[in-house]
């Protein structure tokens, strides 16, 4: 999917370039926080080849993240497991305290809603970038 097509047809507003978290992404992403009431939900858009770094949503109780894929093609991977291809309509339930990454395929823009599951003593730990060779071999 081309980025222009995704921008024109996005169900939710795409938002501006994700400069606040750019240091944790390889490539360009866009972020529009849809709500911070009750549950934080962000519309995250990735240019082709963009992906976030490995990260962990820590929580003492509850927590984690849910991804609702709305457009394009992408990837999700948990540490030590094979990557999972994603397409519009896919849902990813990410348990708390699991190291993972997600992002666009090399040849497609990608978009998902990121839902932060409320957590007791929750925090996000950003880790290393996804290995370039591992990503390119997907």
């Amino acid at each position: 999917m081309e980025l222009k097509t995704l921008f024109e047809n996005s169900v939710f507003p795409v938002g501006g370039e994700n400069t606040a978290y750019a240091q944790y992404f390889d490539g360009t992403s866009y972020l529009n926080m849809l709500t911070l009431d009750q549950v934080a939900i962000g519309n995250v858009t990735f240019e082709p080849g963009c992906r976030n770094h490995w990260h962990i949503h820590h929580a003492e109780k509850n927590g984690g993240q849910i991804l609702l894929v709305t457009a394009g093609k992408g990837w999700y991977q948990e540490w030590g497991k094979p990557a999972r291809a994603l397409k519009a309509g896919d849902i990813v339930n990410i348990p708390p305290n699991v190291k993972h990454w997600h992002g666009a395929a090399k040849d497609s823009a990608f978009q998902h809603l990121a839902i932060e599951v409320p957590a007791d003593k929750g925090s996000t730990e950003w880790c290393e970038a996804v290995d370039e060779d591992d990503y390119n071999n997907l």
Side-chain angles (χ1 to χ4, degrees):
M1 173 174 277
E2 291 183 19
L3 189 64
K4 180 181 178 200
T5 302
L6 191 147
F7 268 79
E8 291 171 351
N9 297 312
S10 181
V11 174
F12 298 100
V14 171
E17 189 172 330
N18 186 7
T19 56
Y21 292 91
Q23 66 185 343
Y24 306 119
F25 283 73
D26 290 323
T28 302
S29 67
Y30 304 85
L31 176 63
N32 181 24
M33 291 307 298
L34 301 176
T35 184
L36 296 173
D37 295 338
Q38 296 177 293
V39 175
I41 302 174
N43 185 28
V44 186
T45 304
F46 301 77
E47 289 189 357
C50 177
R51 66 264 183 204
N52 54 33
H53 292 185
W54 288 97
H55 58 287
I56 305 165
H57 301 284
H58 291 288
E60 191 171 284
K61 183 179 177 187
N62 302 318
Q65 188 178 50
I66 301 168
L67 306 179
L68 304 177
V69 180
T70 56
K73 296 186 302 183
W75 295 99
Y76 168 76
Q77 185 175 19
E78 293 181 3
W79 189 260
K81 295 183 178 179
R84 172 183 162 193
L86 300 175
K87 64 183 180 338
D90 286 342
I91 299 170
V92 180
N93 288 284
I94 305 167
N97 306 309
V98 171
K99 190 174 183 178
H100 67 281
W101 70 270
H102 35 100
K106 291 176 278 198
D107 62 348
S108 177
F110 178 65
Q111 188 176 68
H112 64 57
L113 300 181
I115 302 168
E116 298 296 326
V117 178
D120 293 341
K121 297 185 181 176
S123 65
T124 300
E125 175 187 359
W126 289 99
C127 306
E128 70 275 13
V130 175
D131 181 88
E132 191 76 21
D133 288 336
D134 290 344
Y135 177 79
N136 286 328
N137 287 325
L138 292 174

